[in-house]
Amino acid sequence: MLVSRDQLEASVCREAFKDFVIRFWHTVVPEELLWNWHMDAICECLQEAAERVFRNEPKKWDILLNVPPGSSKSSIASIFFPAWVWTRMLTARCICASYSFPLAMDLSRKARDVIEHEKYKRLFGDVGIREDQNAKHYYANEAGGMRYAAGTGGSVTGFHGHFLIVD
């Protein structure tokens, strides 16, 4: 059985969150990716937690990422992680909050930019954002998955998520 380059790349990206981040970095970050050991640790920790959700197992703990500003924490956790999760679990619901609504909106828009990038669509064609729910702060896919952004003072009452990210 022959496997196309796209099928192989999609499989690698689904299997390892780190590889997804590396392959999609350029879609929203204009600077060259300078990978560091702490990025490995963040990706491994987030993937471990996600794997439990994918297997429908209870979480072991909450995750606290404590790294200096500018260390790519927000990009990895709030942009790439929700986009990657949908490659494995189309019904996943992510609620992503930040200290300010403008920042939450920007991170949400960038995550949507990853999902709407031609490479993402080519590799993960089964992930499509619904036309009737495609706002910067709240968008959903056709399988019931969603990403909702909130800032300080914002309301998330009534929304339920598999992944709650506070940045």
Side-chain angles (χ1 to χ4, degrees):
M1 176 178 172
L2 291 175
V3 176
S4 74
R5 180 181 178 96
D6 284 348
Q7 289 172 317
L8 180 60
E9 188 170 13
S11 177
V12 167
C13 285
R14 280 187 180 109
E15 186 67 29
F17 176 49
K18 170 187 173 178
D19 290 324
F20 178 89
V21 172
I22 290 169
R23 284 176 166 78
F24 283 90
W25 186 265
H26 71 281
T27 63
V28 292
V29 181
E31 291 83 24
E32 179 183 348
L33 172 60
L34 299 174
W35 199 263
N36 199 335
W37 67 269
H38 76 280
M39 298 164 91
D40 281 327
I42 291 170
C43 289
E44 288 171 17
C45 188
L46 291 173
Q47 180 161 354
E48 182 181 345
E51 295 292 345
R52 295 187 67 78
V53 173
F54 301 155
R55 293 189 304 263
N56 201 27
E57 297 174 358
K59 71 177 181 177
K60 282 186 173 180
W61 52 75
D62 292 324
I63 299 168
L64 174 64
L65 303 175
N66 192 6
V67 294
S71 299
S72 301
K73 169 186 49 60
S74 297
S75 295
I76 293 171
S78 294
I79 297 171
F80 295 108
F81 185 69
W84 173 75
V85 164
W86 278 2
T87 72
R88 300 276 304 272
M89 183 181 173
L90 280 171
T91 58
R93 296 180 307 276
C94 299
I95 298 174
C96 302
S98 187
Y99 75 93
S100 76
F101 187 66
L103 178 59
M105 287 274 289
D106 186 56
L107 295 170
S108 181
R109 178 191 53 80
K110 287 177 180 175
R112 187 181 65 181
D113 287 349
V114 171
I115 294 162
E116 291 185 333
H117 193 273
E118 69 81 21
K119 180 177 181 176
Y120 188 97
K121 288 180 177 181
R122 192 176 71 243
L123 298 183
F124 313 109
D126 53 347
V127 179
I129 295 178
R130 291 173 42 161
E131 289 183 27
D132 65 340
Q133 189 57 67
N134 189 4
K136 287 181 188 176
H137 75 289
Y138 177 42
Y139 47 89
N141 67 33
E142 301 188 4
M146 66 89 170
R147 186 189 191 286
Y148 182 81
T152 303
S155 174
V156 294
T157 303
F159 290 94
H160 303 279
H162 295 96
F163 301 97
L164 309 175
I165 300 167
V166 180
D167 186 10

